Amino acid sequence: MDVDPRTLKIVYFPHPVLRTKAKPIERIDQVVRDVGERMIELMYEAEGIGLAAPQVGLPWRMFVCHVPSSPEPAPTPSNGTDADLPDANAGPEVYINPTITEPHGLPELMEEGCLSLPRVRGDLMRQPDVTLTWSDLDGTTHTRRATGLLARCWQHENDHLDGVLIIDRFTQLSRMRTRSALRALEKQGSS
Ligand code: ZN
């Protein structure tokens, strides 16, 4: 695929690439590294904590996350997860060909938004504690277990790689509350 990383920008619902199942990245070359860098830049510009490759129009299994640590100490988890697990990362990270395994604890309800769905926020359930395995930009494989916002961000971005959006997981109430905002986006997209 011929890609100029500098021209990438965030695409919005209902762009069809957001519903595509992304393909694994077979070779981590300079283009992939440049795309990763550009995605981090776009994520910061949009003041998000994560961005997946389909959100910049590329059906690749790759996402970026930067969940800054909260200045307040994390509350003691009440869901049976380990208090020592990280809930943030030290800086922006690029995750290539990620897989999520080993969910622990009871699913939790929390509000989420998405950079590809402006003005749409709603509640959905996620696993509070998951393990992610991925390759970095040097091709090194990593495995890390996390909780809190970092675990949530990983699950949200990983969903994008399978064409799954937050609106698919919203509670019934959130679905109702966001119906008109979603219609407005659909209208904009088709004009
Ligand atoms: Zn999203």
Side-chain angles (χ1 to χ4, degrees), residues 55 114-115 156-157 160:
Q55 292 183 276
C114 177
L115 295 180
H156 175 124
E157 301 312 331
H160 275 298

Side-chain angles (χ1 to χ4, degrees), residues 106-110 112 123-127 152 155 159 169-171:
L106 295 171
E108 286 174 341
L109 196 66
M110 203 177 122
E112 284 183 28
D123 296 324
L124 61 143
M125 302 286 267
R126 297 262 189 216
Q127 295 296 141
R152 195 163 261 270
Q155 291 170 82
D159 267 356
R169 297 192 184 274
F170 275 174
T171 59

